[in-house]
Amino acid sequence: SCLCGSAPCLLCGCCPSAKNSTISRLLFTFFLFLGTLVSIIMIIPGVEKELHKLPGFCEGSGSVLGVQTHVNCGSFLGHKAVYRMGFAMAAFFFLFAAIMVCVRSSKDPRAAVQNGFWFFKFLVLVGITVGAFYIPDGAFTSVWFYFGVVGSFLFILIQLVLLIDFAHSWSQLWLRNAGESNAKGWYAALCIMTFIFYATSIAVIVLLYVYYTKPEGCTEGKVLISINLIFCLIVSAVSILPKIQDAQPHSGLLQASLITLYTIYVTWSALANVPTQTCNPTLLVRNSTGSATATQPLTTWWDAPSIVGLIIFILCTLFISVRSSDHPQVNKLMLTEESAAGAGSEAAAVESGLHRAYDNEQDGVSYNYTFFHLCLLLAALYIMMTLTNWYRPDENLQVLTSPWTAVWVKICSSWAGLLLYLWTLVAPLVLPDRDFS
C-alpha cells in the first residue's frame, strides 16, 4: 500500500502530517531530480571506461558464461544519453499533463493517479527511458535541440516570475517585521542585502568586460553587456520613483537588485555560448575526429555558468513544488491557490496523532495539475540544455558547436524578464481600476 496507495504513505512513518498535494509535488520533483542525476552520471568523462571494466556489460569488456556481448556503451553516454533522458522525462510529464486536464478536486478518479500509484509511475518512467534509447540516431538530436531551446526559454521566464515573487515576499516580510518590532535592524539588513546584490552585479559586469570583450572587436559582447546594464539601471531607478512608491509601497531596491543580479547571470551565460574563440575564453571546441581537440573529453558540462544554472534550477523547481504565493496575482498567473478544503482533515490528523497525509483537495485542487506537470516538462528541457552547455550536435554527434541561437535565446529571455518586472511596477499606474495588492 505504501507504493501503490496515497502519495504520502512513503513518508508516513518519519514525517509529520502534511498536505496530500504538497507531497505529491515533491515526489514528482524527486523523479525529475533522479533523471537529472542519471544524466549527470552519463555525461561525466571516464564513465565509459569504468563501464568497460564490468564483465559482459559493454562490447569488448569480456563475456558472460561464454556469450560475447554486443552492447556499445558509447550509445548510453554523452550528449546522446542526456538528450534521450531529457526526452524521456519530458514525455513522462507530458503524459501526466494530458491525463490531468480539468481535474477540479480529489473526488475526480484521476486525482488518485496524481497522488498515488508511485511504484507504477516509476515503472512507466523507466519504460519510457529505456524506449528513448532505442530512438534511431540521425536527425533526432539535432531536431530535439530546438525543442530544448524553446522549452528552456519558457522555463527561464518561469524562473523570473518566481524570482520576482520571492523578492517581493522577502521585502514585505522584513518590512513587516521592522514595523511590528520597531527595530531598525531589519532596515539595516535590507540595505546590506541590497548592497551585496548590487556590488556582486557590478563586479560580474566588470569581469564580463575584461574576459568576454577585447579592445578590438567583440562588438556583440560589448553591446549585449551594455544594453543589459542600461536596462538594469532603468528598472532600478523606476522602482524608487515617487509615483511607483505611492502605487506600490512595497517596491524597492531589494527586488530590483535581485532581478539585476539574475539578469547579469543570464548575460554571462549567454556570452559563454558566443561561438567566437577570441571573445569567449570558456568556449569548448569539441570535435571527436579532430586531432587538435582529441585530447579533450567529448562531453563536459561543469563550466561555471552551467553549475550556477544547475543550482538555480534545483531551487526554483523545489519552489514550484512547495510554494503558494502571498500575492493573489502571482497565484493566478502560476495557476495556484490556497485551498481551505483540507482544514477539517488537517485537524483530524493532528487530533489522531498519526503521521499521515490528509486530503486537502476535497472541495478543490490547491494547484493546477496540468500546469504543474508542464512546468516540470520545461524544467526537464532546461536541465537538458544546461548539462549540454546549449551546444548543438550534428546528426552523427561527431561535432558539437555553440550556436548563436543559444546566445539570442538567453538574451531575449533576460529582456523579457526585465520587461515583466517593469510591468509589475507600472501596472497599478496603467490600470488603476484593478487590484494589485
Side-chain angles (χ1 to χ4, degrees):
S1 61
C2 281
L3 292 177
C4 306
S6 61
C9 282
L10 292 171
L11 307 176
C12 61
C14 57
C15 295
S17 296
K19 296 177 182 178
N20 207 37
S21 58
T22 300
I23 298 186
S24 293
R25 284 182 285 180
L26 287 174
L27 288 174
F28 274 113
T29 304
F30 171 75
F31 282 174
L32 176 63
F33 288 165
L34 184 63
T36 302
L37 179 62
V38 173
S39 298
I40 292 175
I41 293 173
M42 289 178 170
I43 206 171
I44 294 177
V47 172
E48 183 176 6
K49 184 185 298 184
E50 296 299 322
L51 290 179
H52 275 285
K53 295 180 181 179
L54 298 177
F57 190 78
C58 292
E59 185 177 358
S61 63
S63 60
V64 176
L65 299 178
V67 179
Q68 184 67 38
T69 56
H70 300 283
V71 178
N72 180 13
C73 282
S75 63
F76 295 97
L77 304 168
H79 279 63
K80 181 184 293 188
V82 174
Y83 273 74
R84 279 161 171 73
M85 280 300 305
F87 175 83
M89 290 190 292
F92 176 77
F93 292 119
F94 179 79
L95 173 65
F96 278 92
I99 293 175
M100 299 301 163
V101 171
C102 296
V103 175
R104 303 299 184 189
S105 71
S106 60
K107 297 176 183 177
D108 192 311
R110 291 175 294 171
V113 178
Q114 171 77 5
N115 298 317
F117 302 100
W118 295 100
F119 178 70
F120 295 108
K121 289 176 185 175
F122 179 74
L123 292 182
V124 170
L125 178 59
V126 171
I128 295 176
T129 302
V130 172
F133 281 90
Y134 283 94
I135 297 176
D137 291 334
F140 167 76
T141 308
S142 56
V143 171
W144 189 242
F145 167 82
Y146 291 101
F147 280 90
V149 166
V150 175
S152 300
F153 173 80
L154 297 176
F155 188 73
I156 290 175
L157 294 184
I158 292 176
Q159 286 182 334
L160 285 163
V161 172
L162 296 175
L163 189 66
I164 294 171
D165 176 37
F166 172 74
H168 278 294
S169 300
W170 185 4
S171 178
Q172 287 188 19
L173 176 63
W174 282 16
L175 290 174
R176 184 167 59 248
N177 290 341
E180 293 175 354
S181 61
N182 199 22
K184 295 183 178 180
W186 291 106
Y187 294 110
L190 278 172
C191 293
I192 291 173
M193 294 306 301
T194 301
F195 173 78
I196 291 174
F197 289 151
Y198 274 124
T200 305
S201 300
I202 293 172
V204 174
I205 288 173
V206 172
L207 292 175
L208 292 182
Y209 275 117
V210 171
Y211 289 102
Y212 290 91
T213 63
K214 300 292 182 183
E216 304 275 337
C218 299
T219 306
E220 298 89 349
K222 296 175 184 176
V223 171
L224 295 178
I225 298 172
S226 302
I227 289 177
N228 277 5
L229 174 59
I230 293 172
F231 284 168
C232 290
L233 292 175
I234 291 174
V235 297
S236 298
V238 170
S239 67
I240 55 175
L241 291 177
K243 288 187 177 181
I244 298 296
Q245 289 289 314
D246 292 339
Q248 288 273 40
H250 295 290
S251 66
L253 288 178
L254 177 65
Q255 299 94 311
S257 64
L258 191 56
I259 299 301
T260 297
L261 183 59
Y262 184 80
T263 301
I264 299 305
Y265 157 70
V266 176
T267 307
W268 173 35
S269 180
L271 294 176
N273 279 107
V274 171
T276 305
Q277 189 76 50
T278 56
C279 302
N280 181 8
T282 60
L283 182 68
L284 298 177
V285 179
R286 299 190 180 99
N287 186 338
S288 63
T289 60
S291 58
T293 57
T295 59
Q296 295 184 359
L298 181 61
T299 304
T300 55
W301 66 271
W302 43 82
D303 59 344
S306 296
I307 293 174
V308 176
L310 179 63
I311 295 172
I312 295 175
F313 154 78
I314 293 173
L315 295 177
C316 286
T317 307
L318 287 175
F319 196 41
I320 291 173
S321 301
V322 300
R323 69 172 297 285
S324 186
S325 176
D326 297 331
H327 302 279
Q329 295 297 328
V330 177
N331 281 330
K332 187 175 182 180
L333 179 64
M334 298 295 293
L335 300 180
T336 59
E337 60 181 336
E338 276 293 341
S339 175
S345 300
E346 180 178 8
V350 173
E351 291 178 2
S352 65
L354 297 176
H355 297 277
R356 66 183 184 85
Y358 55 89
D359 186 0
N360 64 314
E361 299 179 310
Q362 293 178 355
D363 297 330
V365 295
S366 60
Y367 65 100
N368 187 294
Y369 290 174
T370 296
F371 184 78
F372 171 71
H373 289 297
L374 290 178
C375 286
L376 294 188
L377 185 156
L378 298 178
L381 296 177
Y382 174 81
I383 198 61
M384 179 186 77
M385 300 304 295
T386 299
L387 293 181
T388 57
N389 297 103
W390 294 66
Y391 280 36
R392 182 176 62 199
D394 62 356
E395 292 191 2
N396 56 10
L397 292 176
Q398 294 300 309
V399 179
L400 301 171
T401 57
S402 181
W404 277 104
T405 304
V407 178
W408 286 111
V409 166
K410 293 179 180 180
I411 290 296
C412 290
S413 66
S414 70
W415 294 343
L418 289 170
L419 289 175
L420 184 62
Y421 174 63
L422 186 63
W423 172 249
T424 66
L425 297 176
V426 303
L429 297 178
V430 178
L431 302 172
D433 297 331
R434 292 186 59 183
D435 179 21
F436 288 94
S437 59

